[in-house]
Amino acid sequence: MQIMCLNGWGGKIHEKILPYLAETAPDVLCLQEVVHSPASDKDWLTYRDGEHVLNQRANFFRDVLRVLPNHIGVFCPAAQGVLWDGDQTVPSQWGLATFVHRSLPIVGQIQSFVHKEYSPNGYGDHPRSRSAHGVRVYDHKCDRVVSITHMHGLRDLNGKMDTPARAAQARRLLALSDWIAEEGDFVVVCGDFNVEPGSETLSILADAGLTELVTRRGFEGTRTSLYKKQGRFADYMLVNREAEVHAFDVVYDPEVSDHCPLVLRLKQS
């Protein structure tokens, strides 16, 4: 069983990320920074936030569904704001999504917020609303249940330092994972947490018995060369039983986003 976690960067380099996802076709894909603009048939729209201007795939969620035809997709919006088509505004939702291969029955599911709540009338002030999604799937090949919960951690304009909001966010994420998981499950908690190694967020999750794989296995970051700022860590994956991990990798090549895919493979039991 293969589980991938990736911040898709709004599909900015769709010509690379879509073929990559089609080729790898992970059993479960946890994807952050997903755009969904149901009122538009455009391929591209523009996000504007002061000096921050970014091309976005107008329907990135739809794009990924098309290259993963054997997956069920769930989109979890955090907010609805506007993107721009020239000088025209287009309503657009932003959030995260989970894609599960149809061979894996979804036997439990939870969606909620780890910071603020759904923002229906604009993306809002930073730090903005952040959602999380958890699925519990049955792996018939190995006769086991796997619980996977992911989030996109809040962005603080002051940086990735510990804050009370981030601590509260971590506890909410853990509560969602605890709610969806049952005794005996193999548990995965992952996402773009927007924190550095050694953060309180990771300590809270570690105190709950979860093992973080990125730093534990010696990877030197989770950002690609497309990310030009300082700080090479953002994305993490934690598990409750490391002994059942067959392989874990941070994929630096190909570069399909400004974040690296995190790929977990479980042992065959």
Side-chain angles (χ1 to χ4, degrees):
M1 185 183 204
Q2 180 176 279
I3 300 164
M4 179 184 293
C5 180
L6 173 63
N7 181 317
W9 205 16
K12 183 175 180 179
I13 48 175
H14 80 293
E15 71 279 4
K16 293 186 178 181
I17 193 171
L18 294 179
Y20 173 74
L21 293 177
E23 179 182 359
T24 56
D27 295 300
V28 179
L29 170 63
C30 299
L31 190 64
Q32 300 92 47
E33 282 197 25
V34 180
V35 182
H36 179 51
S37 308
S40 175
D41 60 1
K42 296 282 186 176
D43 288 331
W44 291 99
L45 295 170
T46 303
Y47 169 78
R48 300 175 185 170
D49 181 16
E51 296 181 356
H52 189 201
V53 178
L54 181 67
N55 287 334
Q56 302 267 276
R57 287 295 289 181
N59 283 288
F60 188 35
F61 178 61
R62 176 200 63 193
D63 294 342
V64 176
L65 278 176
R66 285 178 174 173
V67 301
L68 295 176
N70 295 316
H71 287 63
I72 296 168
V74 180
F75 174 67
C76 304
Q80 177 165 296
V82 298
L83 298 180
W84 293 83
D85 179 14
D87 59 358
Q88 299 295 313
T89 60
V90 178
S92 182
Q93 297 167 17
W94 180 93
L96 50 78
T98 309
F99 302 84
V100 179
H101 195 276
R102 295 179 185 275
S103 65
L104 294 171
I106 299 173
V107 297
Q109 190 168 184
I110 188 169
Q111 175 184 353
S112 190
F113 284 77
V114 291
H115 183 68
K116 296 183 177 176
E117 58 185 15
Y118 180 66
S119 177
N121 299 306
Y123 299 122
D125 296 329
H126 293 287
R128 291 171 170 168
S129 299
R130 298 291 169 140
S131 58
H133 186 229
V135 292
R136 189 168 181 259
V137 299
Y138 196 92
D139 181 1
H140 279 281
K141 290 183 179 179
C142 296
D143 189 26
R144 68 183 164 203
V145 182
V146 181
S147 167
I148 306 152
T149 305
H150 71 117
M151 76 166 180
H152 186 183
L154 65 86
R155 175 173 175 248
D156 190 316
L157 297 181
N158 293 316
K160 295 182 178 179
M161 65 291 177
D162 290 335
T163 64
R166 282 196 166 111
Q169 173 181 254
R171 293 187 181 98
R172 289 183 188 130
L173 177 65
L174 182 60
L176 292 173
S177 175
D178 288 345
W179 189 93
I180 192 69
E182 296 188 12
E183 185 176 355
D185 287 7
F186 184 88
V187 175
V188 179
V189 175
C190 59
D192 172 7
F193 291 178
N194 266 324
V195 298
E196 296 286 351
S199 68
E200 185 181 10
T201 293
L202 296 179
S203 295
I204 289 169
L205 297 174
D207 289 345
L210 297 172
T211 300
E212 197 282 301
L213 298 176
V214 173
T215 56
R216 180 175 174 84
R217 300 202 170 198
F219 293 99
E220 296 182 352
T222 64
R223 306 303 297 251
T224 69
S225 66
L226 301 172
Y227 184 75
K228 304 302 182 181
K229 300 177 184 179
Q230 296 296 317
R232 307 311 299 171
F233 288 90
D235 314 270
Y236 300 91
M237 185 174 285
L238 301 95
V239 299
N240 66 333
R241 296 197 296 269
E242 188 180 7
E244 296 179 30
V245 172
H246 171 69
F248 174 76
D249 196 15
V250 176
V251 179
Y252 296 105
D253 184 32
E255 293 188 333
V256 299
S257 168
D258 61 344
H259 294 252
C260 300
L262 310 183
V263 180
L264 173 69
R265 293 178 178 85
L266 302 185
K267 290 181 178 178
Q268 299 289 332
S269 57

